[in-house]
Amino acid sequence: MQNPSQTEQRIPKNRIVIFGASGDLTKRKLIPALYRLFSRGMLPKDFAIIGVGRTAFTNDAFREHLREALDKEMQAGDPAVGFCACIRYLSADPSKSEELAPLAEDMGSGGTSLFYLATPPALYAPIANSLAELGLNRQDEGLVSRLVVEKPFGEDLASSQLLNEQLHRHFKEEQIFRIDHYLGKETVQNLLVLRFANTIFEPLWNRNMVDYVEITAAESLGVEKRGSFYEKTGAVRDMLQNHLLQVLAMVAMEPPACISADALRGEAVKVMRFFRPLNEQDLDDNLVLGQYLRSRVQGEEVAAYREEMGVAADSRTETYVALKMFIDSWRWEGVPFYLRTGKRLPTRVTEVVLHFRKTRHPSFHEDPPANCLIIRIQPDEGILVSFGLKRPGSGFQVEDVAMDFHYSDLSDKPMPDAYERLLLDALKGDGTLFARSDEVEVCWSFVQPILERLKDPGHSLYGYAAGTWGPQEADQLLATAGHVWRFPCKNLTHAQHCAL
Ligand code: BG6
């Protein structure tokens, strides 16, 4: 380790080793989440956080580098000093095992090592090799070794299969924790409780009652400083292949026999195998790709994607994707699922909307609105049910009203951050909220036809003004079946298309 003080010579038995420690994820997500766990006494005793990276930090310089992130978390009187003392830094090229040798010191006496790969994906396999060369993948004599792998897990089916194979050479599947931080979100996990712990929803949750389902993950920000990463990634790889398909699996799966890693992931893979494969016709008719254009958003000039740092002036990378897809299971036969995600949309919102079939009754003069169940993943997390009510007064006119629940009403129970939950689960060895190798591969295999289409330089890519809901073609995707998107606002209960 760089510049260890006397008391820092021995490395504690329990270690969270973060590769890619000088990167953004460590500062923005991992360290704050670890701090919150620490301050609630949820980290193991005798533990250290060891940042590994090529940047030549000393322990103190690394702590200073993290200070800004920590300052935001800390309240007066918090145990900041104790937490900082647990943080160390190793300046090393992680693909060279000899440079990681200090991590192998003091091993042999038991303890848990969590190796968190927050590096560019090209380093995942070399790091796994280096760890194995040092025996740091061992699971004997009281030693526990786990690998946490950030997304993207591969860039297509073949590369994800190769990566699985490379990691499996040194680590067993139960040692590997593939992060999809959407699974760490409280509101995503609640899909299981909402569906399977309530009598009133599950009987409606099928093709007989549901007309169509929307899943939206909208972001108001552009690609920020990640232009060069995003150029090679795009919305399909960045959001659709992982977060949206995982949320879809939670919405559509059959009840697992119990909430265990095997049972839950088994059901997720099962429903994913029912996703109807996309053929050329689907790609023509049911897929809309877009890229944001320069625009004025709430009085401010916003750059086009092609003007962002690290982005080619003639880039054809998609910053928006909308897809109509089907799940050919008994439960969902014929029900369209519409998925969309994009950058520079009007607001940041993720939600699932179940639109129920309309009822018709000759006594009601108007066409009554269909019932909707809106599950708001973020922000203003909550649930809203809309239903028809007799408009007070003469006659039988129907008006759409809503009942809503907001997590913010549970003021005594703050929403834990996704990374907090996932880090804790990885430390405990609970893989329930992590993607299994077959799950990742099934998702890649489903999106593979889209990736092939993206290789075609002439594929359709529609421009949309920054700050709007994406290309109009995405509205057409629904209109052909008489469906419409919900245009949500920041607040769950606000009317659609409200001022944001
Ligand atoms: C990440 C993507 O996985 O998820 C980002 O790489 C995206 O591009 C982010 O902004 C969205 O996560 P959240 O939790 O803010 O919805």
Side-chain angles (χ1 to χ4, degrees), residues 198-275:
N198 289 294
T199 320
I200 58 171
F201 296 119
E202 188 55 19
L204 309 179
W205 215 271
N206 59 53
R207 62 169 196 257
N208 298 323
M209 296 293 172
V210 177
D211 191 12
Y212 66 103
V213 179
E214 289 176 61
I215 302 182
T216 294
E219 294 185 85
S220 51
L221 292 178
V223 289
E224 306 288 287
K225 294 180 192 150
R226 299 164 75 218
S228 48
F229 158 80
Y230 201 84
E231 273 289 84
K232 289 179 257 113
T233 311
V236 173
R237 291 182 169 90
D238 193 39
M239 296 288 292
L240 177 72
Q241 180 272 340
N242 35 73
H243 305 325
L244 288 192
L245 294 186
Q246 287 289 354
V247 172
L248 173 59
M250 294 287 250
V251 171
M253 68 168 59
E254 296 301 316
C258 58
I259 306 288
S260 71
D262 269 351
L264 194 68
R265 299 190 295 185
E267 288 303 334
V269 172
K270 199 169 96 192
V271 74
M272 287 167 179
R273 291 195 198 282
F274 281 116
F275 292 173

Side-chain angles (χ1 to χ4, degrees), residues 28-29 150-152 180-182 185 217-219 221-223 226 229-230 233-234 237-239 242-243 341 343 348-350 377-378 417-419:
R28 247 175 357 100
K29 295 285 186 188
E150 257 300 331
K151 68 173 271 277
D180 185 310
H181 78 278
Y182 266 56
K185 291 184 193 280
E219 294 185 85
L221 292 178
V223 289
R226 299 164 75 218
F229 158 80
Y230 201 84
T233 311
R237 291 182 169 90
D238 193 39
M239 296 288 292
N242 35 73
H243 305 325
T341 181
K343 302 240 180 234
R348 173 176 179 257
V349 63
T350 301
I377 307 295
Q378 63 188 23
D417 171 76
Y419 276 93

